[in-house]
């Protein structure tokens, strides 16, 4: 798992690249507060090496809760900036601080 942050100099935006090794998976999405937990808004592309990767533009100066959705199973990122308990889900979410 990997998260890469690239802050733009001209706008208060951060390009966040999510990468997840899941060679056996068929579909991986990133869902979170930045896309209303909609799996169709941030589908990651599978690379030849089995890694799923995608980039999302997010407003800098905010925090976002997120998870990966791997073939219908929610997975936290081991490299998240923090974790936050979510009563609705009954589990922790990964947190991205920008």
């Amino acid at each position: 798992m990997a998260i890469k942050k690239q802050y733009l100099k001209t706008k208060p935006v951060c390009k966040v690249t999510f990468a997840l090794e899941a060679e056996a998976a068929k579909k991986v999405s990133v869902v979170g507060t930045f896309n209303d937990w909609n799996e169709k808004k941030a589908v990651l592309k599978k690379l030849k090496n089995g890694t799923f990767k995608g980039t999302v533009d997010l407003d800098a100066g905010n925090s976002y809760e997120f998870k990966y959705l791997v073939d219908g199973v929610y997975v936290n990122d081991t490299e998240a900036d923090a974790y936050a308990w979510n009563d609705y889900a009954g589990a922790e979410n990964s947190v991205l601080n920008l």
Side-chain angles (χ1 to χ4, degrees):
M1 295 183 194
I3 300 170
K4 181 182 172 190
K5 301 173 187 176
Q6 181 183 0
Y7 292 91
L8 301 183
K9 293 179 182 175
T10 56
K11 299 183 215 173
V13 171
C14 182
K15 289 187 170 290
V16 181
T17 301
F18 296 93
L20 176 71
E21 291 181 27
E23 197 168 329
K26 291 182 176 22
K27 183 179 177 185
V28 177
S29 298
V30 177
V31 295
T33 54
F34 53 85
N35 64 8
D36 295 322
W37 300 92
N38 186 332
E39 65 182 275
K40 294 177 183 173
K41 289 186 178 178
V43 177
L44 303 184
K45 183 179 178 184
K46 189 170 188 176
L47 306 178
K48 289 181 181 180
N49 66 2
T51 299
F52 285 81
K53 195 172 189 179
T55 302
V56 179
D57 289 354
L58 300 174
D59 292 333
N62 292 323
S63 291
Y64 302 93
E65 291 186 26
F66 75 97
K67 284 188 181 234
Y68 295 105
L69 186 58
V70 182
D71 291 340
V73 178
Y74 289 101
V75 178
N76 274 323
D77 194 312
T78 57
E79 295 184 19
D81 295 327
Y83 299 95
W85 180 259
N86 182 292
D87 286 333
Y88 179 76
E92 283 189 328
N93 290 332
S94 300
V95 175
L96 184 63
N97 295 318
L98 301 180

